Amino acid sequence: MELHVLRIFSAFPFTSIPKHSRILSKSHFPISLNFSDSPQFSFKVDCQKRNDVVFDDAAYEAERHRLDAEARKAMAETSERETQDQEDPKAWKWVIRKRIWDLMEAQNIAQFPRPVHHRIPNFLGASVAANKLSELEEFKGAKCVKVNPDTPQKQVRFLTLDGGKKLLTPQPRLRTGFFSVLESSMLSPGTIKEACTSAGVAKYGRPIGLDEKIQVDLIVIGSVAVDPRTGARLGKGEGFAELEYGMLRYMGAIDDSTPVVTSVHDEQLVDDIPVNKLLIHDVPVDIICTPTQVIFTNTSIPKPQGIYWEKLSPEKLSQIRILRQLKSKIEQETGQKLPTGPSEKLPPTAQRRR
């Protein structure tokens, strides 16, 4: 008789558990199940209890890497398609992004994960830039900091928790949920570093909804390129940072005075982002931290006031459950149907499993 062992770790938010993970009752921990009615197989389920929820580390990471690979492939296809169409209003953005990604790889200032193309690029000196960010008065005085989930800002997430602040982190690409809140009081000293990873947020974070009453004092955002003269910023091209910003505005968690900071390598500083071509939902930055300097942009670019539904395609909306919920909520509250943006062709690999 063969013995098959399935090890399941807990603390995965129920909304994020991959289909192949198995949830067991709290009363079943620890548990060992042997299905002896089968003459060929015996299954032993070995579970670990963390925060009363089941978490399968390996399954989570495998699913995350699969979806990330799909998303990068989709963005590569989108980039090629929009760059070739010179009349596309986003074509110029891809030219700048590609230049920066190519430069970082050529100069070997990129760090794991590589290649950095179609990512918020991790860079040499990311921790140094994070430390400079933590010395800002805006950071020191913040009680709650929203930080993007990308690798180059991992040290910022650690410094936020280590400093006793509340950390607000979005689910990657908003594909499994909305935001998660973490506080050092929820963690042991040995788990703070783990909590700064994507899997750690899923394990130890408390998922919140659109009705959560929360005040965000500082926003840390990842960038591919940023102009220090104007505060104009380019992300990797999926638009999730803008959607997250818009939803926080809807919730009343932020306003125009909430500082937006980014940490980048000095080689990611550019001077050719045309402000007049930015879209209404593009988020500018107030402060830039690099490994060598801190720049206050004094940006005059208006910050988005919410979600611009007329810019959001039905295809994009179909990918993000929390956006559909928000749209339905607003329509029910106002009794009016919100506009929908023009349809766009998304590569099949951009579709997310529910």
Side-chain angles (χ1 to χ4, degrees):
M1 177 182 294
E2 292 186 57
L3 176 64
H4 294 260
V5 178
L6 173 65
R7 182 176 295 275
I8 303 177
F9 297 92
S10 70
F12 205 121
F14 287 107
T15 57
S16 304
I17 297 178
K19 293 179 180 179
H20 46 278
S21 296
R22 181 169 183 172
I23 304 172
L24 301 175
S25 166
K26 296 179 184 179
S27 62
H28 290 162
F29 292 94
I31 188 169
S32 178
L33 301 179
N34 286 281
F35 297 91
S36 57
D37 55 335
S38 170
Q40 297 180 331
F41 299 100
S42 175
F43 291 87
K44 180 181 179 182
V45 182
D46 189 3
C47 300
Q48 182 173 333
K49 182 178 180 181
R50 295 179 188 167
N51 298 337
D52 296 329
V53 195
V54 175
F55 187 90
D56 184 336
D57 295 77
Y60 178 89
E61 284 300 295
E63 182 74 351
R64 183 176 71 84
H65 285 299
R66 183 186 69 79
L67 290 174
D68 283 348
E70 283 187 3
R72 289 195 305 277
K73 181 179 179 182
M75 293 310 296
E77 294 174 3
T78 300
S79 170
E80 183 177 357
R81 184 175 65 250
E82 293 181 351
T83 302
Q84 290 176 350
D85 183 0
Q86 293 303 311
E87 295 184 2
D88 192 295
K90 294 175 286 186
W92 64 269
K93 291 185 176 182
W94 290 112
V95 173
I96 296 175
R97 290 184 185 113
K98 185 177 186 304
R99 187 183 78 221
I100 296 298
W101 285 325
D102 288 348
L103 176 69
M104 295 183 74
E105 288 290 346
Q107 294 192 0
N108 206 32
I109 57 177
Q111 291 205 104
F112 176 85
R114 296 176 73 173
V116 293
H117 294 75
H118 305 292
R119 305 181 193 269
I120 296 296
N122 195 13
F123 57 92
L124 289 174
S127 292
V128 177
N131 291 337
K132 286 187 178 295
L133 193 156
S134 72
E135 295 169 0
L136 295 171
E137 292 301 321
E138 289 81 356
F139 181 86
K140 292 178 180 178
K143 295 180 179 178
C144 178
V145 183
K146 184 264 185 185
V147 186
N148 56 298
D150 302 283
T151 304
Q153 282 72 45
K154 180 179 178 181
Q155 178 70 0
V156 180
R157 297 192 292 274
F158 172 77
L159 293 169
T160 300
L161 290 174
D162 193 53
K165 304 178 187 298
K166 185 181 295 184
L167 172 65
L168 183 69
T169 299
Q171 293 292 321
R173 295 185 173 89
L174 300 177
R175 62 180 165 231
T176 56
F178 187 30
F179 288 94
S180 292
V181 172
L182 296 98
E183 298 181 65
S184 55
S185 60
M186 303 162 59
L187 307 164
S188 66
T191 58
I192 288 183
K193 285 190 175 181
E194 183 185 6
C196 299
T197 66
S198 178
V201 169
K203 280 187 185 180
Y204 303 111
R206 176 177 65 85
I208 67 171
L210 292 164
D211 294 326
E212 182 87 7
K213 301 301 180 185
I214 190 169
Q215 182 67 43
V216 176
D217 304 304
L218 180 69
I219 292 176
V220 179
I221 192 169
S223 302
V224 172
V226 61
D227 190 330
R229 303 170 308 161
T230 64
R233 164 201 170 270
L234 296 182
K236 62 179 177 285
E238 289 185 300
F240 287 102
E242 289 75 18
L243 292 173
E244 293 158 11
Y245 186 93
M247 285 187 279
L248 288 174
R249 287 296 294 246
Y250 168 80
M251 294 169 65
I254 59 174
D255 57 28
D256 282 341
S257 67
T258 307
V260 179
V261 187
T262 192
S263 60
V264 295
H265 194 277
D266 291 87
E267 294 294 342
Q268 293 175 256
L269 301 178
V270 301
D271 61 4
D272 58 345
I273 298 179
V275 172
N276 63 322
K277 291 186 178 181
L278 293 176
L279 302 177
I280 193 171
H281 57 263
D282 286 328
V283 180
V285 300
D286 300 291
I287 307 172
I288 304 168
C289 295
T290 79
T292 66
Q293 58 186 318
V294 174
I295 303 168
F296 292 82
T297 68
N298 298 311
T299 183
S300 60
I301 301 171
K303 291 179 178 174
Q305 301 299 299
I307 300 291
Y308 296 93
W309 301 100
E310 69 277 10
K311 305 290 185 182
L312 196 60
S313 72
E315 291 81 6
K316 191 74 171 180
L317 188 65
S318 70
Q319 292 179 356
I320 307 172
R321 183 175 61 251
I322 190 70
L323 269 182
R324 297 196 301 273
Q325 293 173 352
L326 176 57
K327 187 172 188 287
S328 177
K329 178 181 173 66
I330 294 175
E331 289 177 339
Q332 289 178 2
E333 290 176 349
T334 63
Q336 297 181 343
K337 189 172 181 61
L338 290 171
T340 301
S343 181
E344 63 178 326
K345 182 180 179 181
L346 295 179
T349 50
Q351 301 301 321
R352 301 283 180 261
R353 288 187 181 179
R354 294 172 183 257

PDB file of all heavy atoms in Angstrom, residues 67 87 120 134-135 142 149 156 160 162 166 187 190 215 235 255-256 271 274 292 313 318-319 336 352:
ATOM      1  N   LEU A  67       0.310  32.551 -12.203  1.00  0.00           N
ATOM      2  CA  LEU A  67      -0.447  33.732 -12.587  1.00  0.00           C
ATOM      3  C   LEU A  67       0.470  34.889 -12.966  1.00  0.00           C
ATOM      4  O   LEU A  67       0.169  35.655 -13.890  1.00  0.00           O
ATOM      5  CB  LEU A  67      -1.380  34.145 -11.453  1.00  0.00           C
ATOM      6  CG  LEU A  67      -2.564  33.199 -11.196  1.00  0.00           C
ATOM      7  CD1 LEU A  67      -3.327  33.623  -9.956  1.00  0.00           C
ATOM      8  CD2 LEU A  67      -3.487  33.158 -12.405  1.00  0.00           C
ATOM      9  N   GLU A  87      -0.673  55.446 -33.172  1.00  0.00           N
ATOM     10  CA  GLU A  87      -1.788  56.304 -32.793  1.00  0.00           C
ATOM     11  C   GLU A  87      -2.360  55.934 -31.423  1.00  0.00           C
ATOM     12  O   GLU A  87      -3.201  56.645 -30.888  1.00  0.00           O
ATOM     13  CB  GLU A  87      -2.890  56.230 -33.857  1.00  0.00           C
ATOM     14  CG  GLU A  87      -2.461  56.799 -35.209  1.00  0.00           C
ATOM     15  CD  GLU A  87      -3.604  56.808 -36.199  1.00  0.00           C
ATOM     16  OE1 GLU A  87      -4.727  56.402 -35.824  1.00  0.00           O
ATOM     17  OE2 GLU A  87      -3.375  57.229 -37.353  1.00  0.00           O
ATOM     18  N   ILE A 120       7.559  45.652 -11.807  1.00  0.00           N
ATOM     19  CA  ILE A 120       8.158  46.755 -11.076  1.00  0.00           C
ATOM     20  C   ILE A 120       9.561  46.251 -10.739  1.00  0.00           C
ATOM     21  O   ILE A 120       9.711  45.318  -9.958  1.00  0.00           O
ATOM     22  CB  ILE A 120       7.376  47.085  -9.798  1.00  0.00           C
ATOM     23  CG1 ILE A 120       5.963  47.579 -10.138  1.00  0.00           C
ATOM     24  CG2 ILE A 120       8.116  48.126  -8.963  1.00  0.00           C
ATOM     25  CD1 ILE A 120       5.913  48.886 -10.926  1.00  0.00           C
ATOM     26  N   SER A 134      12.390  55.511   5.052  1.00  0.00           N
ATOM     27  CA  SER A 134      11.973  55.396   6.450  1.00  0.00           C
ATOM     28  C   SER A 134      12.428  56.571   7.307  1.00  0.00           C
ATOM     29  O   SER A 134      11.931  56.771   8.413  1.00  0.00           O
ATOM     30  CB  SER A 134      12.502  54.092   7.059  1.00  0.00           C
ATOM     31  OG  SER A 134      13.909  54.155   7.258  1.00  0.00           O
ATOM     32  N   GLU A 135      13.385  57.354   6.790  1.00  0.00           N
ATOM     33  CA  GLU A 135      13.872  58.525   7.522  1.00  0.00           C
ATOM     34  C   GLU A 135      13.048  59.776   7.233  1.00  0.00           C
ATOM     35  O   GLU A 135      13.234  60.817   7.877  1.00  0.00           O
ATOM     36  CB  GLU A 135      15.343  58.774   7.161  1.00  0.00           C
ATOM     37  CG  GLU A 135      16.271  57.646   7.616  1.00  0.00           C
ATOM     38  CD  GLU A 135      17.669  57.771   7.034  1.00  0.00           C
ATOM     39  OE1 GLU A 135      17.910  58.741   6.271  1.00  0.00           O
ATOM     40  OE2 GLU A 135      18.526  56.906   7.334  1.00  0.00           O
ATOM     41  N   ALA A 142       3.616  58.663  10.144  1.00  0.00           N
ATOM     42  CA  ALA A 142       2.477  57.873   9.651  1.00  0.00           C
ATOM     43  C   ALA A 142       2.127  56.744  10.604  1.00  0.00           C
ATOM     44  O   ALA A 142       3.013  56.065  11.126  1.00  0.00           O
ATOM     45  CB  ALA A 142       2.799  57.314   8.269  1.00  0.00           C
ATOM     46  N   PRO A 149       2.929  45.487  -3.286  1.00  0.00           N
ATOM     47  CA  PRO A 149       3.424  44.156  -2.917  1.00  0.00           C
ATOM     48  C   PRO A 149       4.676  43.703  -3.663  1.00  0.00           C
ATOM     49  O   PRO A 149       5.081  42.553  -3.532  1.00  0.00           O
ATOM     50  CB  PRO A 149       2.239  43.247  -3.268  1.00  0.00           C
ATOM     51  CG  PRO A 149       1.610  43.919  -4.442  1.00  0.00           C
ATOM     52  CD  PRO A 149       1.766  45.404  -4.199  1.00  0.00           C
ATOM     53  N   VAL A 156      10.602  48.201   2.664  1.00  0.00           N
ATOM     54  CA  VAL A 156       9.686  49.236   3.151  1.00  0.00           C
ATOM     55  C   VAL A 156       8.580  48.590   3.982  1.00  0.00           C
ATOM     56  O   VAL A 156       8.196  49.106   5.039  1.00  0.00           O
ATOM     57  CB  VAL A 156       9.077  50.043   1.985  1.00  0.00           C
ATOM     58  CG1 VAL A 156       8.128  51.110   2.514  1.00  0.00           C
ATOM     59  CG2 VAL A 156      10.166  50.679   1.136  1.00  0.00           C
ATOM     60  N   THR A 160       7.958  49.232   7.957  1.00  0.00           N
ATOM     61  CA  THR A 160       6.634  49.668   8.408  1.00  0.00           C
ATOM     62  C   THR A 160       6.173  48.842   9.603  1.00  0.00           C
ATOM     63  O   THR A 160       5.769  49.380  10.638  1.00  0.00           O
ATOM     64  CB  THR A 160       5.617  49.564   7.267  1.00  0.00           C
ATOM     65  OG1 THR A 160       6.036  50.400   6.182  1.00  0.00           O
ATOM     66  CG2 THR A 160       4.224  49.980   7.728  1.00  0.00           C
ATOM     67  N   ASP A 162       8.084  46.738  11.456  1.00  0.00           N
ATOM     68  CA  ASP A 162       9.085  46.781  12.517  1.00  0.00           C
ATOM     69  C   ASP A 162       8.987  48.080  13.321  1.00  0.00           C
ATOM     70  O   ASP A 162       9.360  48.117  14.494  1.00  0.00           O
ATOM     71  CB  ASP A 162      10.481  46.634  11.913  1.00  0.00           C
ATOM     72  CG  ASP A 162      11.548  46.364  12.961  1.00  0.00           C
ATOM     73  OD1 ASP A 162      11.368  45.409  13.753  1.00  0.00           O
ATOM     74  OD2 ASP A 162      12.559  47.101  12.999  1.00  0.00           O
ATOM     75  N   LYS A 166       0.830  50.317  11.066  1.00  0.00           N
ATOM     76  CA  LYS A 166      -0.118  49.452  10.376  1.00  0.00           C
ATOM     77  C   LYS A 166       0.257  49.422   8.900  1.00  0.00           C
ATOM     78  O   LYS A 166       0.494  50.458   8.275  1.00  0.00           O
ATOM     79  CB  LYS A 166      -1.546  49.981  10.561  1.00  0.00           C
ATOM     80  CG  LYS A 166      -2.633  49.099   9.982  1.00  0.00           C
ATOM     81  CD  LYS A 166      -4.009  49.727  10.201  1.00  0.00           C
ATOM     82  CE  LYS A 166      -4.366  49.808  11.677  1.00  0.00           C
ATOM     83  NZ  LYS A 166      -5.747  50.344  11.868  1.00  0.00           N
ATOM     84  N   LEU A 187       1.856  39.657  14.917  1.00  0.00           N
ATOM     85  CA  LEU A 187       2.971  38.827  14.504  1.00  0.00           C
ATOM     86  C   LEU A 187       3.935  38.597  15.657  1.00  0.00           C
ATOM     87  O   LEU A 187       3.978  39.361  16.618  1.00  0.00           O
ATOM     88  CB  LEU A 187       3.725  39.507  13.356  1.00  0.00           C
ATOM     89  CG  LEU A 187       2.887  39.931  12.142  1.00  0.00           C
ATOM     90  CD1 LEU A 187       3.659  40.914  11.289  1.00  0.00           C
ATOM     91  CD2 LEU A 187       2.471  38.715  11.333  1.00  0.00           C
ATOM     92  N   GLY A 190       9.667  36.535  14.981  1.00  0.00           N
ATOM     93  CA  GLY A 190      10.190  35.619  13.972  1.00  0.00           C
ATOM     94  C   GLY A 190       9.379  35.564  12.693  1.00  0.00           C
ATOM     95  O   GLY A 190       9.812  34.955  11.712  1.00  0.00           O
ATOM     96  N   GLN A 215      -7.775  55.003   7.845  1.00  0.00           N
ATOM     97  CA  GLN A 215      -7.102  56.225   7.410  1.00  0.00           C
ATOM     98  C   GLN A 215      -5.675  55.881   7.016  1.00  0.00           C
ATOM     99  O   GLN A 215      -4.910  55.380   7.834  1.00  0.00           O
ATOM    100  CB  GLN A 215      -7.092  57.267   8.533  1.00  0.00           C
ATOM    101  CG  GLN A 215      -6.456  58.592   8.149  1.00  0.00           C
ATOM    102  CD  GLN A 215      -7.266  59.347   7.098  1.00  0.00           C
ATOM    103  OE1 GLN A 215      -8.496  59.405   7.188  1.00  0.00           O
ATOM    104  NE2 GLN A 215      -6.597  59.890   6.095  1.00  0.00           N
ATOM    105  N   GLY A 235       4.132  53.057 -14.211  1.00  0.00           N
ATOM    106  CA  GLY A 235       4.204  51.734 -13.615  1.00  0.00           C
ATOM    107  C   GLY A 235       4.491  50.708 -14.695  1.00  0.00           C
ATOM    108  O   GLY A 235       4.935  51.050 -15.787  1.00  0.00           O
ATOM    109  N   ASP A 255      -6.752  61.440   0.644  1.00  0.00           N
ATOM    110  CA  ASP A 255      -7.203  62.609  -0.100  1.00  0.00           C
ATOM    111  C   ASP A 255      -6.003  63.229  -0.807  1.00  0.00           C
ATOM    112  O   ASP A 255      -4.922  62.634  -0.850  1.00  0.00           O
ATOM    113  CB  ASP A 255      -7.907  63.616   0.818  1.00  0.00           C
ATOM    114  CG  ASP A 255      -7.025  64.069   1.984  1.00  0.00           C
ATOM    115  OD1 ASP A 255      -5.777  64.063   1.837  1.00  0.00           O
ATOM    116  OD2 ASP A 255      -7.571  64.425   3.044  1.00  0.00           O
ATOM    117  N   ASP A 256      -6.181  64.415  -1.355  1.00  0.00           N
ATOM    118  CA  ASP A 256      -5.108  65.046  -2.120  1.00  0.00           C
ATOM    119  C   ASP A 256      -3.849  65.286  -1.295  1.00  0.00           C
ATOM    120  O   ASP A 256      -2.743  65.353  -1.844  1.00  0.00           O
ATOM    121  CB  ASP A 256      -5.586  66.393  -2.684  1.00  0.00           C
ATOM    122  CG  ASP A 256      -6.459  66.234  -3.920  1.00  0.00           C
ATOM    123  OD1 ASP A 256      -6.415  65.158  -4.544  1.00  0.00           O
ATOM    124  OD2 ASP A 256      -7.185  67.187  -4.261  1.00  0.00           O
ATOM    125  N   ASP A 271      13.590  62.155 -17.904  1.00  0.00           N
ATOM    126  CA  ASP A 271      13.165  63.543 -18.120  1.00  0.00           C
ATOM    127  C   ASP A 271      12.281  63.688 -19.348  1.00  0.00           C
ATOM    128  O   ASP A 271      12.115  64.785 -19.886  1.00  0.00           O
ATOM    129  CB  ASP A 271      14.381  64.457 -18.239  1.00  0.00           C
ATOM    130  CG  ASP A 271      15.302  64.097 -19.414  1.00  0.00           C
ATOM    131  OD1 ASP A 271      14.944  63.169 -20.180  1.00  0.00           O
ATOM    132  OD2 ASP A 271      16.356  64.734 -19.549  1.00  0.00           O
ATOM    133  N   PRO A 274       5.967  63.014 -20.989  1.00  0.00           N
ATOM    134  CA  PRO A 274       5.185  64.210 -21.347  1.00  0.00           C
ATOM    135  C   PRO A 274       3.941  64.341 -20.463  1.00  0.00           C
ATOM    136  O   PRO A 274       3.003  63.556 -20.572  1.00  0.00           O
ATOM    137  CB  PRO A 274       4.810  63.957 -22.810  1.00  0.00           C
ATOM    138  CG  PRO A 274       4.834  62.462 -22.954  1.00  0.00           C
ATOM    139  CD  PRO A 274       5.869  61.948 -22.000  1.00  0.00           C
ATOM    140  N   THR A 292      20.798  56.992  -3.485  1.00  0.00           N
ATOM    141  CA  THR A 292      21.731  58.097  -3.262  1.00  0.00           C
ATOM    142  C   THR A 292      21.079  59.418  -2.875  1.00  0.00           C
ATOM    143  O   THR A 292      21.775  60.335  -2.416  1.00  0.00           O
ATOM    144  CB  THR A 292      22.572  58.355  -4.539  1.00  0.00           C
ATOM    145  OG1 THR A 292      21.709  58.830  -5.587  1.00  0.00           O
ATOM    146  CG2 THR A 292      23.280  57.085  -4.994  1.00  0.00           C
ATOM    147  N   SER A 313     -12.440  49.294 -19.225  1.00  0.00           N
ATOM    148  CA  SER A 313     -13.067  48.427 -20.217  1.00  0.00           C
ATOM    149  C   SER A 313     -13.848  47.298 -19.545  1.00  0.00           C
ATOM    150  O   SER A 313     -13.532  46.896 -18.419  1.00  0.00           O
ATOM    151  CB  SER A 313     -12.005  47.820 -21.137  1.00  0.00           C
ATOM    152  OG  SER A 313     -11.247  46.839 -20.448  1.00  0.00           O
ATOM    153  N   SER A 318     -14.111  42.659 -15.823  1.00  0.00           N
ATOM    154  CA  SER A 318     -14.446  41.248 -15.618  1.00  0.00           C
ATOM    155  C   SER A 318     -13.338  40.497 -14.899  1.00  0.00           C
ATOM    156  O   SER A 318     -13.577  39.434 -14.326  1.00  0.00           O
ATOM    157  CB  SER A 318     -14.734  40.571 -16.964  1.00  0.00           C
ATOM    158  OG  SER A 318     -13.545  40.446 -17.734  1.00  0.00           O
ATOM    159  N   GLN A 319     -12.118  41.047 -14.911  1.00  0.00           N
ATOM    160  CA  GLN A 319     -10.993  40.365 -14.275  1.00  0.00           C
ATOM    161  C   GLN A 319     -10.934  40.611 -12.767  1.00  0.00           C
ATOM    162  O   GLN A 319     -10.284  39.859 -12.045  1.00  0.00           O
ATOM    163  CB  GLN A 319      -9.670  40.848 -14.885  1.00  0.00           C
ATOM    164  CG  GLN A 319      -9.458  40.432 -16.322  1.00  0.00           C
ATOM    165  CD  GLN A 319      -8.137  40.959 -16.859  1.00  0.00           C
ATOM    166  OE1 GLN A 319      -7.425  41.695 -16.179  1.00  0.00           O
ATOM    167  NE2 GLN A 319      -7.801  40.587 -18.070  1.00  0.00           N
ATOM    168  N   GLN A 336     -28.274  54.911 -10.303  1.00  0.00           N
ATOM    169  CA  GLN A 336     -27.877  55.248 -11.670  1.00  0.00           C
ATOM    170  C   GLN A 336     -26.810  54.270 -12.155  1.00  0.00           C
ATOM    171  O   GLN A 336     -25.953  53.848 -11.383  1.00  0.00           O
ATOM    172  CB  GLN A 336     -27.330  56.678 -11.738  1.00  0.00           C
ATOM    173  CG  GLN A 336     -28.358  57.742 -11.373  1.00  0.00           C
ATOM    174  CD  GLN A 336     -27.775  59.147 -11.474  1.00  0.00           C
ATOM    175  OE1 GLN A 336     -26.559  59.318 -11.511  1.00  0.00           O
ATOM    176  NE2 GLN A 336     -28.648  60.137 -11.509  1.00  0.00           N
ATOM    177  N   ARG A 352      -8.001  35.706 -15.455  1.00  0.00           N
ATOM    178  CA  ARG A 352      -7.645  35.116 -14.170  1.00  0.00           C
ATOM    179  C   ARG A 352      -8.656  34.031 -13.791  1.00  0.00           C
ATOM    180  O   ARG A 352      -9.847  34.170 -14.041  1.00  0.00           O
ATOM    181  CB  ARG A 352      -7.671  36.169 -13.061  1.00  0.00           C
ATOM    182  CG  ARG A 352      -6.717  37.315 -13.323  1.00  0.00           C
ATOM    183  CD  ARG A 352      -5.301  36.887 -13.010  1.00  0.00           C
ATOM    184  NE  ARG A 352      -4.396  37.984 -13.267  1.00  0.00           N
ATOM    185  CZ  ARG A 352      -3.679  38.108 -14.353  1.00  0.00           C
ATOM    186  NH1 ARG A 352      -3.750  37.207 -15.296  1.00  0.00           N
ATOM    187  NH2 ARG A 352      -2.859  39.134 -14.521  1.00  0.00           N
TER     188      ARG A 352
END
